[in-house]
Amino acid sequence: MSVLSKLGKIDYRWLYITSLILTAIPLVYPIGLSVTLSQPVKDYYSAIQDLPEGSVIAVSFGGSASLLDEQEAQFLATWKTIFSLGHKVLFYSTTEDGPMILQDHLGDKVKPEDYGYTYGEDYVELGFSPLGEPGEASFAANIRGVYAADKYGTPLDDLPMMVDINDYSGIDLLMFQYTACTSIEWVVRQWSVPYQTKVIATTLGCCGPMAAPYYPSQIEGFLSGSGAGTELEVLSGNPGPGAAMSDSKSIGILPQLVFIAFGNIAYFANKYMKKEDDQ
Amino acid sequence: MATLRREIPKFIVMIFGLFMLLGSFTTIPIFDTIKAELTSWTVTISAVSVWLGAVYASYANYRLYQRNKKEGIEHLIYFIVPFVVFGLQFGSGILYGVESPQYRWYFTNIYQNIGATVYAVMFFTLASSAYRTFIASSWDATALLAGGIIYTLRQIPLFQVMIPGIVGAGEWVMLVPNVGGGRGAVIAAALGALALGVRTLMGQEATITEGG
Amino acid sequence: MAGIMELLGMALGTFLIFSTLSMLYKDNVFFRVGQMAVMGSSIAHFILYNMKNVYNNAWTPLMNGDIMMIIPLILGLLMYTRLRRSTAWLARYPSSVLVGIGTGVMVAGTVSGQILDQIAVTMTDVLNWNTSGGSLINAIIIAVGVVTSITFFVFTKEHTGVVGKSASIGRKFLMISLGANWSGELVWYLTQLVGRLMYIKNFVTALMGG
């Protein structure tokens, strides 16, 4: 067996160990690489920025604690952007983890009160409800049908911000945050199509390509993965966890690319040698 | 009895589905109201039935223990651990509330950490499988490889700096050929879902209401 | 400076990260204990939040006079009849309600949102002669991708001749899509790894009094 064909049979554990070591190094010695902005991210940012001050943004929050490493940069940069522009925000969680993540973010990492916000007047948290697609339809048609009270148990009519918000007509922009790739269809079918509500989305890296067919006609912009979160941090001038992760991703991916190259070299070497033998 | 067990459930599917369609395709206010009311029911039904998952998971865990208990004490530990963690976390949530630091302690350190690490493990398994399968052995495989590599390079800051034009190329892959293939898949899947949906609403998909 | 409970939590978290990663070497007792622990933890979490939802949004309105709330509550409880073989058929009623509503809602949006609008945007881009040359070429590539990949999903006609050629081109487009999906997934998992390494780093820093 030639050296080249051996490249296709390297023990996987070399890939594991080199990836682990290379990913860890930039955490100790950061490099500080820059990022380039992409169009869906710019459009996502513009959709928030172009709203008149005081517009109402509904955040359908489907964040997952297990996947927070991938999405936290998107979330934090988004909250900072919204709060700095003075929009009103209506948070509702569609996953059980949602309220815990929001509690950590709004209670500690990006406090709305630091931007002059008052709970009940400028932002409201409705807590968790297992909405799914019918629930999204119900929420768009009648918010009080699925949320009688906010997460603290206060009836919605007792919250000043909610007095005039009953359904989709009180929402200027829907921000859909999800982790199951096909869930993007829910908002297209239940918000974008029936009410022509403006929609933007944030999701995992692997779901971006599946959201792309709906962009920009039905979804005005989207963030997919922590890379897009980092881009939003740069674009909005709010550095956060995304920037800290960039260097490790840059170096940690190298063994994978080298191994894919090895696999292909070995394949073509074998093919060439087989051809030689046949002749 | 067959009417109660099979025919009425099928009728419920049809009638509730019809109300949803009327609520969506007509502008008659009463159907909008019915749609809003009925869709809100799904939320409560789902939330009330969540204990069912706990019962099934406990039963599966018990069956696993029954099958392996002769193999040693470790299987008894596997059997007990979920109940202990459940008891501690559930008790903490009831006693102190789900917003309390006590509850968050379990949530962050057990639930979040293990869940996140499982996905980290997936990096290694996906990487090793790509080493075996991302080979340009045919035109189809080459298309897969090209789409994957270009978009990977586009996502990584190091290559954005090293390879001029990679951002444009990655974005082009995402927004042109990916949209072409993805949109075709969306339309094809929607046509399939539509056919299945119509069959379901007409009571032709018996399997959906046969369970239980 | 981190408190003792916070440090203990981080120590437990770090241990669980290593025990889960140890699976890469081989299946072992620490990995399995962690797996079982997360099962108990997630069930507790799901139940607590769903109970809270039922209390706030169904039980309280019912007590305040919203009598209609009794129906979904009863339907939800009927799901538990599955646990006895003799009563299991009763669970078909709430299932039928969920299926009927879910299907009706899905069908209504699918026609317009995923079929007509998707076709319309594809055609509009191609027929829009005011766009630049590059955009038009891209629109044509997208349209070719849409048509050919739909042919790939036609299973009622044999993939030979023109249909076969079209399906073959469609498969290339789908492969590029899958490649991009794979890439997104790979970088996502890598981010998860970076996140866990950062957690360990934070624990070490906290341990050293940082």
Side-chain angles (χ1 to χ4, degrees):
Chain A
M1 190 186 277
S2 74
V3 178
L4 289 181
S5 57
K6 274 185 189 167
L7 289 176
K9 292 190 177 3
I10 303 171
D11 191 332
Y12 301 140
R13 279 173 289 192
W14 285 110
L15 173 60
Y16 296 170
I17 201 81
T18 48
S19 296
L20 197 61
I21 292 168
L22 290 179
T23 307
I25 289 171
L27 293 176
V28 186
Y29 305 105
I31 308 166
L33 292 162
S34 61
V35 292
T36 313
L37 305 177
S38 57
Q39 197 56 42
V41 177
K42 288 181 198 164
D43 289 344
Y44 175 93
Y45 182 65
S46 300
I48 302 171
Q49 209 182 25
D50 294 348
L51 290 171
E53 196 181 327
S55 299
V56 178
I57 300 177
V59 179
S60 176
F61 191 72
S64 162
S66 307
L67 310 177
L68 205 53
D69 296 327
E70 173 77 337
Q71 287 200 282
E72 191 158 43
Q74 305 173 347
F75 298 154
L76 296 177
T78 299
W79 310 150
K80 287 172 188 168
T81 305
I82 294 174
F83 296 149
S84 61
L85 292 167
H87 300 313
K88 293 183 189 299
V89 201
L90 175 61
F91 293 96
Y92 63 103
S93 298
T94 55
T95 53
E96 287 84 351
D97 298 4
M100 298 292 289
I101 298 170
L102 286 175
Q103 184 193 350
D104 182 37
H105 286 183
L106 307 180
D108 185 27
K109 291 178 176 162
V110 191
K111 289 181 181 172
E113 286 72 16
D114 293 346
Y115 294 81
Y117 277 51
T118 308
Y119 183 78
E121 288 176 22
D122 305 303
Y123 77 103
V124 167
E125 277 186 76
L126 295 182
F128 161 73
S129 210
L131 294 187
E133 185 170 1
E136 284 288 349
S138 184
F139 186 93
N142 176 21
I143 295 173
R144 283 158 179 77
V146 272
Y147 283 104
D150 71 351
K151 76 169 207 173
Y152 304 107
T154 312
L156 296 196
D157 292 330
D158 295 349
L159 298 164
M161 188 184 115
M162 295 305 294
V163 171
D164 295 323
I165 303 176
N166 298 310
D167 54 23
Y168 71 92
S169 61
I171 310 289
D172 299 301
L173 177 73
L174 178 76
M175 186 176 290
F176 187 61
Q177 302 188 311
Y178 67 105
T179 54
C181 293
T182 52
S183 301
I184 191 68
E185 295 165 2
W186 300 352
V187 282
V188 169
R189 292 194 289 242
Q190 307 310 330
W191 285 88
S192 181
V193 169
Y195 308 119
Q196 287 81 49
T197 306
K198 282 185 174 190
V199 177
I200 52 175
T202 74
T203 188
L204 307 172
C206 62
C207 298
M210 288 170 83
Y214 302 103
Y215 163 83
S217 56
Q218 290 154 320
I219 300 162
E220 296 206 357
F222 65 92
L223 306 179
S224 80
S226 63
T230 313
E231 289 178 39
L232 185 66
E233 288 176 355
V234 172
L235 191 60
S236 63
N238 295 305
M245 287 178 155
S246 288
D247 295 346
S248 283
K249 285 195 294 186
S250 290
I251 308 300
I253 199 80
L254 294 175
Q256 166 75 101
L257 297 173
V258 170
F259 268 68
I260 289 178
F262 282 174
N264 279 279
I265 292 168
Y267 171 77
F268 285 107
N270 281 333
K271 203 173 164 185
Y272 177 75
M273 281 189 296
K274 198 165 174 281
K275 217 171 173 182
E276 293 268 289
D277 291 346
D278 289 346
Q279 284 167 1
Chain B
M1 205 59 180
T3 308
L4 270 178
R5 289 184 179 216
R6 292 185 202 286
E7 299 311 317
I8 294 180
K10 276 187 195 171
F11 180 71
I12 291 174
V13 171
M14 276 189 246
I15 204 78
F16 277 65
L18 185 68
F19 276 129
M20 293 304 108
L21 294 177
L22 289 170
S24 303
F25 290 122
T26 67
T27 49
I28 304 165
I30 184 71
F31 291 126
D32 286 340
T33 313
I34 293 174
K35 184 186 170 191
E37 180 67 32
L38 295 185
T39 44
S40 74
W41 287 8
T42 59
V43 176
T44 307
I45 296 171
S46 309
V48 170
S49 51
V50 73
W51 277 96
L52 208 54
V55 175
Y56 282 131
S58 304
Y59 183 65
N61 189 25
Y62 172 72
R63 289 289 300 270
L64 200 67
Y65 170 62
Q66 285 293 321
R67 209 165 50 225
N68 298 313
K69 67 179 177 186
K70 285 180 193 149
E71 287 175 30
I73 188 90
E74 64 182 77
H75 287 281
L76 182 65
I77 297 170
Y78 300 150
F79 176 65
I80 293 169
V81 164
F83 291 104
V84 172
V85 175
F86 174 86
L88 288 170
Q89 189 168 331
F90 189 79
S92 147
I94 293 288
L95 274 176
Y96 305 107
V98 286
E99 268 101 35
S100 64
Q102 290 88 340
Y103 183 78
R104 179 166 283 281
W105 193 89
Y106 291 99
F107 177 83
T108 311
N109 298 313
I110 299 176
Y111 177 83
Q112 185 172 2
N113 254 319
I114 300 178
T117 315
V118 166
Y119 287 106
V121 167
M122 298 282 279
F123 169 70
F124 297 101
T125 52
L126 193 70
S128 57
S129 65
Y131 171 45
R132 272 173 296 168
T133 55
F134 263 52
I135 309 251
S137 55
S138 65
W139 285 111
D140 284 347
T142 308
L144 180 77
L145 182 65
I149 295 295
I150 294 170
Y151 195 57
T152 302
L153 298 179
R154 183 262 167 271
Q155 291 185 84
I156 300 297
L158 179 68
F159 298 106
Q160 293 175 11
V161 175
M162 278 172 57
I163 311 172
I166 195 64
V167 173
E171 208 163 296
W172 184 82
V173 165
M174 165 87 133
L175 298 176
V176 181
N178 168 58
V179 166
R183 192 171 280 164
V186 163
I187 295 170
L191 287 168
L194 195 63
L196 181 71
V198 172
R199 278 177 61 82
T200 304
L201 295 179
M202 289 171 71
Q204 305 276 308
E205 281 296 323
T207 46
I208 289 171
T209 48
E210 288 284 299
Chain C
M1 189 146 164
I4 188 76
M5 280 312 286
E6 199 180 334
L7 271 179
L8 268 177
M10 289 177 93
L12 174 67
T14 305
F15 169 73
L16 290 171
I17 290 171
F18 279 119
S19 64
T20 309
L21 285 173
S22 69
M23 201 275 280
L24 286 169
Y25 181 68
K26 68 175 193 180
D27 195 5
N28 62 78
V29 65
F30 297 113
F31 169 70
R32 288 212 194 174
V33 167
Q35 204 183 16
M36 289 303 186
V38 80
M39 189 169 93
S41 178
S42 56
I43 292 173
H45 184 62
F46 285 12
I47 287 177
L48 281 166
Y49 269 91
N50 279 285
M51 278 170 58
K52 192 177 177 197
N53 175 264
V54 172
Y55 181 78
N56 276 352
N57 300 314
W59 184 252
T60 308
L62 179 69
M63 290 298 112
N64 291 336
D66 184 356
I67 207 76
M68 286 297 275
M69 269 300 162
I70 194 85
I71 303 173
L73 282 170
I74 290 172
L75 286 170
L77 290 172
L78 274 179
M79 281 289 197
Y80 293 90
T81 57
R82 277 174 192 277
L83 297 172
R84 268 177 74 98
R85 199 176 289 271
S86 60
T87 56
W89 62 275
L90 280 165
R92 288 179 194 167
Y93 284 81
S95 298
S96 302
V97 170
L98 292 177
V99 169
I101 294 172
T103 310
V105 158
M106 180 272 291
V107 165
T110 299
V111 179
S112 176
Q114 290 180 274
I115 301 173
L116 300 178
D117 286 1
Q118 291 292 321
I119 294 170
V121 74
T122 307
M123 295 312 295
T124 313
D125 288 349
V126 173
L127 299 173
N128 184 5
W129 295 99
N130 295 327
T131 52
S132 65
S135 301
L136 185 64
I137 291 169
N138 285 341
I140 292 169
I141 295 173
I142 291 174
V144 170
V146 172
V147 173
T148 55
S149 55
I150 288 176
T151 14
F152 174 75
F153 289 105
V154 173
F155 300 122
T156 47
K157 195 158 170 51
E158 207 178 332
H159 285 191
T160 52
V162 178
V163 176
K165 287 259 182 325
S166 176
S168 170
I169 296 169
R171 205 164 54 226
K172 309 287 180 293
F173 276 93
L174 290 166
M175 284 295 169
I176 294 174
S177 283
L178 286 174
N181 268 297
W182 168 84
S183 158
E185 203 151 333
L186 182 78
V187 177
W188 158 30
Y189 294 151
L190 177 59
T191 310
Q192 296 283 142
L193 178 65
V194 177
R196 290 310 90 195
L197 292 176
M198 283 170 92
Y199 183 94
I200 296 169
K201 185 191 164 199
N202 290 343
F203 169 58
V204 173
T205 311
L207 206 60
M208 294 192 303

